[in-house]
Amino acid sequence: MPELDSVPELVEPVMVAAFEGWNDAGEAASAVVEHLASVWDADELLSLEPDDYYDFQVSRPRVTVVDGEHQGLTWPSTTVSLARPAGGRSDVVLVSGSEPNMRWRGFAGDLLAVARELGVRRIVLLGALLADSPHTRPVPVTGVTSPGGLGRTLHLEPTTYDGPSGIVGAVHDVFAAAGLEVVSLWAAVPHYVAQPPCPKATLALLRRVEDVLDLTVPMGDLPEEARAWEHGVDELASEDDDIAGYVRSLEEAKDAADLPEATGEAIAREFERYLKRRRRN
């Protein structure tokens, strides 16, 4: 287990984690933790030992050379940082890094040990996947929770995914088995614009993180970057009739599937989220 030099006194800490790689389409999920660490001025607490979890022939260290002088290697790793949002009721423990190449259960167990040492009782795991989702519509964010009733309390749209898992699923399983509350949030990134970044998906995940943590996150330039990203994809699509037609077919399918959601209950949920954000501001 990694050791903390000193364990700070934390206030109802919540852990938020995202991992680069398979779980991170458009780098939308890892960008959330990066954004939170920046706006909340997070301090690094520790790094997990990279030799235990990474195959360096797959996840190679990066060398830095400046003016012909070797500056050292940066090894793939997972870092744990602490943020204390102004006005928040909870401290936030941020976890970021690359998806490990091996010993996933051991990795999740070490992360669980850190969470217990810090007094964490809930973890919010973030992921992004490629989907048949049009870039012109709101980015869908679905969730899975343990225990299951937590998802209904948080008004999460349940995920219907059933298939291979990444490290997000492994961490979810280990933390849930240990009795911690787990919330996994997944953003659907349009597969035809999979290259990073995807600020619109990052913004959608951040909005749901606000809801789960019940606090306001400074968004900075993200809303404008999301609008610029959508406008840029619009321009690219308009230059190719086949792509434009494909986007229209996705829009039609999305709009038809969303019709049942245009109910009083769905509108009430969105209005409740709006009011909560107004109160936090």
Side-chain angles (χ1 to χ4, degrees), residues 172-189:
H172 188 125
D173 190 64
V174 168
F175 273 61
L180 277 72
E181 292 184 345
V182 189
V183 180
S184 291
L185 301 173
W186 289 88
V189 174

Side-chain angles (χ1 to χ4, degrees), residues 178-227:
L180 277 72
E181 292 184 345
V182 189
V183 180
S184 291
L185 301 173
W186 289 88
V189 174
H191 69 87
Y192 54 92
V193 279
Q195 67 274 17
C198 186
K200 189 172 181 178
T202 297
L203 185 62
L205 280 171
L206 272 169
R207 292 297 189 196
R208 299 304 285 139
V209 168
E210 278 191 319
D211 293 340
V212 174
L213 299 184
D214 193 24
L215 54 75
T216 299
V217 175
M219 296 297 170
D221 296 331
L222 260 177
E224 180 58 35
E225 290 171 1
R227 287 190 289 269

